[in-house]
Protein backbone atom coordinates (compact mmCIF):
# COMPACT_ATOMS: atom_id res chain seq x y z
CA UNK A 1 0.00 0.00 0.00
CA UNK A 2 1.22 3.51 -0.78
CA UNK A 3 2.10 5.35 2.43
CA UNK A 4 0.60 8.69 3.37
CA UNK A 5 3.22 10.93 5.01
CA UNK A 6 1.76 13.03 7.81
CA UNK A 7 3.58 15.95 9.53
CA UNK A 8 2.40 16.48 13.09
CA UNK A 9 3.39 19.48 15.25
CA UNK A 10 5.57 18.27 18.11
CA UNK A 11 3.99 19.09 21.49
CA UNK A 12 0.58 19.24 23.14
CA UNK A 13 -1.34 20.16 19.98
CA UNK A 14 0.35 17.39 18.01
CA UNK A 15 -0.57 14.81 20.67
CA UNK A 16 -4.20 15.90 20.41
CA UNK A 17 -4.12 15.73 16.63
CA UNK A 18 -2.49 12.28 16.71
CA UNK A 19 -5.30 11.07 19.05
CA UNK A 20 -7.80 12.27 16.45
CA UNK A 21 -5.98 10.31 13.71
CA UNK A 22 -5.92 7.26 16.01
CA UNK A 23 -9.66 7.54 16.76
CA UNK A 24 -10.27 7.93 13.04
CA UNK A 25 -8.63 4.52 12.48
CA UNK A 26 -5.06 5.56 11.65
CA UNK A 27 -3.36 4.54 14.87
CA UNK A 28 0.32 3.78 15.20
CA UNK A 29 0.79 2.22 18.66
CA UNK A 30 4.57 2.61 18.55
CA UNK A 31 4.13 6.41 18.74
CA UNK A 32 2.76 6.17 22.27
CA UNK A 33 5.99 4.63 23.58
CA UNK A 34 7.81 7.52 25.04
CA UNK A 35 11.03 7.88 23.10
CA UNK A 36 12.82 10.45 20.98
CA UNK A 37 12.11 8.93 17.59
CA UNK A 38 10.78 11.37 15.03
CA UNK A 39 9.28 8.97 12.47
CA UNK A 40 6.64 6.29 13.06
CA UNK A 41 4.71 4.16 10.64
CA UNK A 42 1.88 1.67 10.51
CA UNK A 43 2.23 -0.13 7.18
CA UNK A 44 -1.14 -1.86 7.48
CA UNK A 45 -2.92 1.46 7.86
CA UNK A 46 -0.72 3.12 5.25
CA UNK A 47 0.39 6.04 7.44
CA UNK A 48 3.78 7.40 8.38
CA UNK A 49 3.96 10.20 10.99
CA UNK A 50 6.76 12.77 11.47
CA UNK A 51 7.09 14.97 14.54
CA UNK A 52 7.98 18.40 13.24
CA UNK A 53 8.53 21.78 14.91
CA UNK A 54 5.01 23.34 14.78
CA UNK A 55 6.05 26.35 12.73
CA UNK A 56 7.75 24.03 10.18
CA UNK A 57 4.75 21.78 9.36
CA UNK A 58 3.64 23.97 6.44
CA UNK A 59 7.16 23.90 4.95
CA UNK A 60 7.24 20.08 4.92
CA UNK A 61 3.79 19.97 3.33
CA UNK A 62 4.38 22.75 0.82
CA UNK A 63 7.55 21.04 -0.44
CA UNK A 64 5.99 17.58 -0.49
CA UNK A 65 8.19 16.00 2.22
CA UNK A 66 4.83 15.35 3.89
CA UNK A 67 1.58 14.79 1.98
CA UNK A 68 -0.61 16.22 4.72
CA UNK A 69 -0.09 17.87 8.09
CA UNK A 70 -1.73 19.71 10.96
CA UNK A 71 -0.89 23.33 11.31
CA UNK A 72 -2.20 26.40 13.19
CA UNK A 73 -4.21 28.90 11.16
CA UNK A 74 -1.78 31.53 12.54
CA UNK A 75 1.04 30.00 10.48
CA UNK A 76 -1.16 29.83 7.36
CA UNK A 77 -2.12 33.50 7.72
CA UNK A 78 1.45 34.62 8.39
CA UNK A 79 3.35 32.64 5.73
CA UNK A 80 0.61 31.90 3.17
CA UNK A 81 2.17 28.56 2.14
CA UNK A 82 1.05 27.15 -1.21
CA UNK A 83 -0.99 24.25 0.21
CA UNK A 84 -4.64 23.21 0.37
CA UNK A 85 -6.49 23.80 3.64
CA UNK A 86 -8.81 20.80 3.92
CA UNK A 87 -10.39 20.83 7.36
CA UNK A 88 -10.73 22.81 10.57
CA UNK A 89 -9.65 20.25 13.20
CA UNK A 90 -11.41 22.19 15.97
CA UNK A 91 -8.45 21.89 18.37
CA UNK A 92 -5.70 24.34 19.31
CA UNK A 93 -8.26 27.09 19.62
CA UNK A 94 -6.85 30.50 20.48
CA UNK A 95 -6.71 33.94 18.89
CA UNK A 96 -4.25 36.49 17.63
CA UNK A 97 -4.73 39.73 19.55
CA UNK A 98 -3.17 43.11 20.22
CA UNK A 99 -2.16 43.39 23.88
CA UNK A 100 -0.50 46.07 25.96
CA UNK A 101 0.04 47.28 29.52
CA UNK A 102 -3.25 48.03 31.24
CA UNK A 103 -2.59 51.78 31.34
CA UNK A 104 -1.54 52.01 27.67
CA UNK A 105 -3.65 54.25 25.48
CA UNK A 106 -3.23 54.69 21.76
CA UNK A 107 -1.94 58.06 20.56
CA UNK A 108 -2.65 58.58 16.83
CA UNK A 109 0.08 61.26 16.68
CA UNK A 110 2.82 58.71 17.37
CA UNK A 111 4.08 55.71 15.40
CA UNK A 112 2.94 52.61 17.27
CA UNK A 113 5.79 50.22 18.14
CA UNK A 114 4.55 46.64 17.68
CA UNK A 115 6.52 43.59 18.85
CA UNK A 116 5.48 40.29 17.26
CA UNK A 117 6.48 37.12 15.52
CA UNK A 118 3.48 37.59 13.21
CA UNK A 119 4.96 40.42 11.15
CA UNK A 120 2.71 40.00 8.13
CA UNK A 121 -0.51 39.58 10.14
CA UNK A 122 0.36 42.64 12.24
CA UNK A 123 1.25 44.79 9.22
CA UNK A 124 -1.96 44.02 7.37
CA UNK A 125 -4.11 44.46 10.47
CA UNK A 126 -2.74 47.94 11.29
CA UNK A 127 -2.71 48.92 7.59
CA UNK A 128 -6.43 48.07 7.45
CA UNK A 129 -6.93 50.48 10.38
CA UNK A 130 -4.81 53.14 8.67
CA UNK A 131 -2.34 53.20 11.57
CA UNK A 132 1.34 53.86 11.18
CA UNK A 133 3.53 51.24 12.91
CA UNK A 134 7.11 50.26 13.55
CA UNK A 135 7.49 46.45 13.63
CA UNK A 136 9.89 44.79 16.05
CA UNK A 137 10.30 41.17 14.97
CA UNK A 138 10.82 38.86 17.96
CA UNK A 139 10.85 35.06 18.07
CA UNK A 140 9.34 34.33 21.48
CA UNK A 141 8.56 35.69 24.96
CA UNK A 142 6.88 38.57 23.14
CA UNK A 143 5.19 39.69 26.38
CA UNK A 144 8.50 41.07 27.65
CA UNK A 145 8.59 43.80 25.00
CA UNK A 146 6.01 46.25 26.45
CA UNK A 147 7.20 45.57 30.00
CA UNK A 148 10.73 46.66 29.06
CA UNK A 149 9.41 49.50 26.82
CA UNK A 150 10.88 47.82 23.77
CA UNK A 151 7.41 48.22 22.22
CA UNK A 152 4.04 49.87 22.95
CA UNK A 153 1.96 46.81 22.10
CA UNK A 154 2.37 43.18 21.06
CA UNK A 155 0.55 41.10 18.49
CA UNK A 156 0.56 37.54 19.78
CA UNK A 157 -1.34 34.32 20.41
CA UNK A 158 -3.67 34.40 23.42
CA UNK A 159 -5.04 31.08 24.56
CA UNK A 160 -6.07 31.09 28.23
CA UNK A 161 -4.86 34.66 28.80
CA UNK A 162 -2.68 33.48 31.70
CA UNK A 163 0.59 34.75 30.20
CA UNK A 164 -0.87 38.24 29.74
CA UNK A 165 -2.42 38.30 33.23
CA UNK A 166 0.74 37.17 34.95
CA UNK A 167 2.68 39.93 33.22
CA UNK A 168 0.15 42.72 33.86
CA UNK A 169 -0.85 43.00 30.24
CA UNK A 170 -4.33 42.85 28.70
CA UNK A 171 -5.98 42.30 25.33
CA UNK A 172 -6.78 45.62 23.64
CA UNK A 173 -8.06 44.34 20.29
CA UNK A 174 -8.91 40.93 18.87
CA UNK A 175 -7.47 40.28 15.41
CA UNK A 176 -8.52 36.77 14.37
CA UNK A 177 -9.64 33.45 15.90
CA UNK A 178 -7.23 30.54 15.34
CA UNK A 179 -7.49 26.74 15.33
CA UNK A 180 -5.52 23.84 13.86
CA UNK A 181 -6.15 22.98 10.22
CA UNK A 182 -5.49 19.88 8.15
CA UNK A 183 -3.41 20.91 5.13
CA UNK A 184 -2.29 19.01 2.04
CA UNK A 185 0.47 19.25 -0.53
CA UNK A 186 -1.12 20.25 -3.84
CA UNK A 187 0.31 17.45 -5.99
CA UNK A 188 -0.17 14.80 -3.27
CA UNK A 189 -3.80 15.89 -3.19
CA UNK A 190 -4.07 14.84 -6.85
CA UNK A 191 -1.91 11.73 -6.82
CA UNK A 192 -2.85 10.33 -3.41
CA UNK A 193 -6.37 11.69 -3.50
CA UNK A 194 -8.15 8.54 -2.38
CA UNK A 195 -5.96 8.06 0.69
CA UNK A 196 -6.20 11.75 1.62
CA UNK A 197 -9.97 11.86 1.17
CA UNK A 198 -10.27 8.77 3.39
CA UNK A 199 -8.41 10.61 6.18
CA UNK A 200 -10.45 13.80 5.66
CA UNK A 201 -13.74 11.86 5.77
CA UNK A 202 -12.84 9.96 8.95
CA UNK A 203 -11.51 13.08 10.68
CA UNK A 204 -14.46 15.23 9.68
CA UNK A 205 -16.81 12.66 11.16
CA UNK A 206 -14.92 13.13 14.46
CA UNK A 207 -14.86 16.93 14.33
CA UNK A 208 -18.61 17.05 13.66
CA UNK A 209 -19.27 15.07 16.87
CA UNK A 210 -17.07 17.12 19.19
C1 LIG B 1 2.23 31.31 23.23
C2 LIG B 1 1.98 32.78 23.04
C3 LIG B 1 1.79 33.27 24.44
C4 LIG B 1 1.15 32.08 25.14
C5 LIG B 1 -0.34 32.33 25.26
O1 LIG B 1 3.55 31.15 23.56
O2 LIG B 1 3.05 33.38 22.37
O3 LIG B 1 3.01 33.58 25.03
O4 LIG B 1 1.38 30.94 24.31
O5 LIG B 1 -0.99 31.33 26.00
P1 LIG B 1 -1.91 31.68 27.25
O6 LIG B 1 -2.86 32.77 26.83
O7 LIG B 1 -2.63 30.39 27.55
O8 LIG B 1 -1.04 32.11 28.38
P2 LIG B 1 4.38 29.82 23.31
O9 LIG B 1 4.19 28.90 24.45
O10 LIG B 1 4.06 29.29 21.97
O11 LIG B 1 5.88 30.38 23.38
P3 LIG B 1 6.60 31.66 22.76
O12 LIG B 1 6.96 32.49 23.93
O13 LIG B 1 7.78 31.06 22.08
O14 LIG B 1 5.69 32.37 21.81
Amino acid sequence: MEMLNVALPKGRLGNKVYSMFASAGFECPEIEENNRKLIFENREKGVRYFWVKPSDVAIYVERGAADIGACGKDILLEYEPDVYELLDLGVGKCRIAVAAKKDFSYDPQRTLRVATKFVSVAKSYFASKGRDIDIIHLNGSIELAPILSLSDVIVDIVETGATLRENDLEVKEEIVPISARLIANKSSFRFKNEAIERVVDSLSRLTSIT
Side-chain angles (χ1 to χ4, degrees):
M1 188 196 292
E2 196 175 23
M3 299 291 280
L4 201 57
N5 294 309
V6 185
L8 293 176
K10 209 181 337 174
R12 210 157 42 95
L13 176 64
N15 293 339
K16 266 192 206 164
V17 173
Y18 167 72
S19 312
M20 295 176 70
F21 273 82
S23 310
F26 302 95
E27 72 280 3
C28 182
E30 202 197 348
I31 220 169
E32 282 154 41
E33 295 166 15
N34 208 0
N35 59 35
R36 299 185 68 87
K37 266 182 78 162
L38 297 173
I39 304 183
F40 296 89
E41 62 179 38
N42 183 341
R43 295 212 140 259
E44 273 150 42
K45 299 284 178 175
V47 282
R48 182 182 296 124
Y49 295 103
F50 315 135
W51 289 121
V52 166
K53 191 177 157 79
S55 49
D56 290 343
V57 167
I59 300 172
Y60 282 77
V61 174
E62 182 176 38
R63 292 182 171 265
D67 300 307
I68 58 174
C71 170
K73 181 71 180 178
D74 51 333
I75 303 292
L76 302 179
L77 291 171
E78 179 63 23
Y79 298 104
E80 300 183 349
D82 191 18
V83 297
Y84 291 130
E85 188 182 319
L86 300 179
L87 190 65
D88 185 341
L89 293 167
V91 292
K93 286 190 182 166
C94 54
R95 54 216 204 267
I96 299 181
V98 181
K101 285 203 229 168
K102 289 184 180 142
D103 59 4
F104 169 78
S105 67
Y106 174 62
D107 175 359
Q109 306 293 87
R110 294 186 54 220
T111 301
L112 188 70
R113 295 171 307 152
V114 182
T116 188
K117 53 184 169 195
F118 300 107
V119 170
S120 169
V121 171
K123 280 186 181 165
S124 45
Y125 175 73
F126 288 110
S128 76
K129 301 273 170 192
R131 292 191 226 156
D132 192 21
I133 61 164
D134 175 15
I135 285 271
I136 301 158
H137 186 188
L138 298 179
N139 297 297
S141 300
I142 318 292
E143 292 83 357
L144 271 175
I147 298 171
L148 302 178
S149 292
L150 175 61
S151 75
D152 302 308
V153 302
I154 63 174
V155 166
D156 200 13
I157 296 285
V158 180
E159 191 181 351
T160 61
T163 311
L164 293 181
R165 259 192 319 276
E166 287 174 26
N167 291 290
D168 287 320
L169 303 174
E170 66 183 17
V171 169
K172 299 289 184 185
E173 291 160 51
E174 305 275 350
I175 299 183
V176 62
I178 300 295
S179 59
R181 307 298 161 98
L182 185 73
I183 58 173
N185 172 270
K186 288 190 166 175
S187 70
S188 302
F189 190 72
R190 281 181 62 199
F191 296 110
K192 296 189 179 179
N193 190 265
E194 211 176 301
I196 294 177
E197 291 290 10
R198 203 162 47 228
V199 170
V200 172
D201 274 2
S202 323
L203 286 174
S204 56
R205 243 170 261 137
L206 287 179
T207 54
S208 61
I209 310 168
T210 50

